[in-house]
Amino acid sequence: MSHSREEKIEALGRVIDTLDRLRVECPWDRKQTNESLRTNTIEEVYELCDALLSEDNENIRKELGDVLLHILFYSKIGEEKGAFDICDVADALNAKLIYRHPHIFSTVKVADSEEVEQNWEQLKLKEKGGNRTVLAGVPSSLPALIKSFRIQEKVANVGFDWEKREDVWAKVREEISELNSEFEKGSTSDQEAELGDAIFSLVNVARLYGINPENALERTNRKFIRRFNYIEKKASESNRDLKDMSLEEMDRYWDEAKSNEQD
């Protein structure tokens, strides 16, 4: 389904009008602030990510609406403070998109999407007169796995990267060897540090081979949940508690679940 530009603008106008009225007439909407909405916004984004991973179009549409509501809500609060409104937000976004895509809106030539990304990062640095550091744009509150991926992407875009992606495997082997040594020594603090280094090196592998590590790990999480749920189902069918099952029995049901996935 596709709507015309006019229909899209009218639809956005309707939800803006609705929110304007709620902000005046609804006690709950009226009392919301940037701070009170912040945690809900984080939750809504995660719910959208769940829907995206499930490729559930109906839920994606619903969760996009919830995220859009928060964007409009913060814009409304900004308008009430006299700081900015949704027009300022949209205009700033449009200007940024044009500025950071000179290969579309100007005469710059690019070979591929990697070069687009590199240009994007370099243009970001120029936007504040060169005073912005390469990693300043990585939010400190990002989950660690995503943060390490973004850190590596950003430094790679300014040339700090492996010459050949195959070279990263030597680093992985080195980090795992160091991790193993620390576990043999038994120093908890050093074990944590080396485990972090090993994970960081595997994130580098993912990036260099075009895999999103967050998506890869979530795929494994879901696979594990699915297979463990099968073990629980089998225990329930025989009126048994999981704690009464042997590890061998659970392993057998795990293999059954794995085999069923391949059918």
Side-chain angles (χ1 to χ4, degrees):
M1 179 184 295
S2 181
H3 293 90
S4 67
R5 183 175 184 275
E6 290 73 19
E7 287 173 321
K8 293 173 185 175
I9 292 171
E10 287 173 8
L12 286 170
R14 284 193 294 272
V15 74
I16 289 170
D17 290 343
T18 299
L19 181 58
D20 285 347
R21 181 174 175 181
L22 290 174
R23 187 67 173 163
V24 173
E25 299 181 21
C26 174
W28 186 89
D29 289 276
R30 192 166 57 240
K31 75 175 185 178
Q32 297 311 306
T33 64
N34 285 340
E35 184 58 29
S36 70
L37 287 170
R38 189 178 65 86
T39 53
N40 287 342
T41 304
I42 294 169
E43 184 180 336
E44 295 297 355
V45 171
Y46 275 111
E47 288 178 358
L48 172 59
C49 289
D50 280 347
L52 291 168
L53 281 171
S54 301
E55 297 186 354
D56 182 342
N57 286 328
E58 182 60 25
N59 253 339
I60 291 172
R61 179 193 60 76
K62 172 183 171 294
E63 299 302 341
L64 280 171
D66 290 342
V67 172
L68 176 60
L69 170 60
H70 282 246
I71 293 168
L72 294 175
F73 221 134
Y74 291 122
S75 299
K76 181 63 178 175
I77 292 170
E79 181 181 348
E80 292 166 355
K81 292 178 176 179
F84 60 85
D85 64 11
I86 191 63
C87 289
D88 299 314
V89 172
D91 284 342
L93 171 60
N94 189 55
K96 179 168 69 175
L97 288 173
I98 292 171
Y99 174 73
R100 293 191 189 171
H101 290 81
H103 55 289
I104 302 297
F105 299 102
S106 187
T107 57
V108 172
K109 303 294 182 185
V110 292
D112 51 32
S113 62
E114 267 185 34
E115 213 169 304
V116 172
E117 253 189 281
Q118 290 168 2
N119 287 346
W120 179 281
E121 291 299 335
Q122 288 162 8
L123 287 166
K124 281 174 73 174
L125 290 175
K126 290 179 183 176
E127 282 174 11
K128 293 196 174 182
N131 293 324
R132 185 183 176 93
T133 64
V134 171
L135 298 177
V138 180
S140 58
S141 58
L142 273 180
L145 187 68
I146 302 173
K147 186 192 292 187
S148 63
F149 187 68
R150 292 295 293 130
I151 287 169
Q152 293 171 14
E153 276 190 326
K154 283 183 173 293
V155 298
N157 284 333
V158 293
F160 191 72
D161 203 1
W162 303 92
E163 287 188 12
K164 295 184 294 182
R165 68 180 185 179
E166 293 80 9
D167 295 342
V168 74
W169 291 109
K171 185 64 175 174
V172 171
R173 287 190 290 271
E174 174 192 330
E175 296 297 353
I176 290 176
S177 175
E178 290 176 2
L179 174 62
N180 186 59
S181 296
E182 290 305 330
F183 272 103
E184 288 176 351
K185 292 176 187 175
S187 170
T188 304
S189 175
D190 290 338
Q191 288 169 3
E192 183 181 86
E194 293 300 340
L195 180 60
D197 290 347
I199 294 171
F200 195 86
S201 69
L202 286 172
V203 171
N204 240 327
V205 169
R207 177 184 62 82
L208 289 164
Y209 283 84
I211 297 168
N212 184 302
E214 175 71 17
N215 292 346
L217 184 57
E218 179 57 19
R219 182 175 179 177
T220 296
N221 288 340
R222 290 179 176 227
K223 179 171 61 180
F224 186 95
I225 291 168
R226 189 167 61 245
R227 292 177 184 175
F228 194 80
N229 285 345
Y230 182 84
I231 296 173
E232 286 188 303
K233 175 173 172 284
K234 287 298 181 181
S236 176
E237 286 174 355
S238 57
N239 296 315
R240 299 174 65 195
D241 194 290
L242 277 175
K243 290 182 287 187
D244 298 327
M245 294 178 71
S246 68
L247 182 57
E248 290 75 15
E249 285 179 287
M250 287 193 279
D251 278 340
R252 188 173 68 252
Y253 286 132
W254 178 277
D255 289 338
E256 277 184 24
K258 184 177 180 180
S259 177
N260 291 340
E261 289 171 1
Q262 296 170 352
D263 289 343

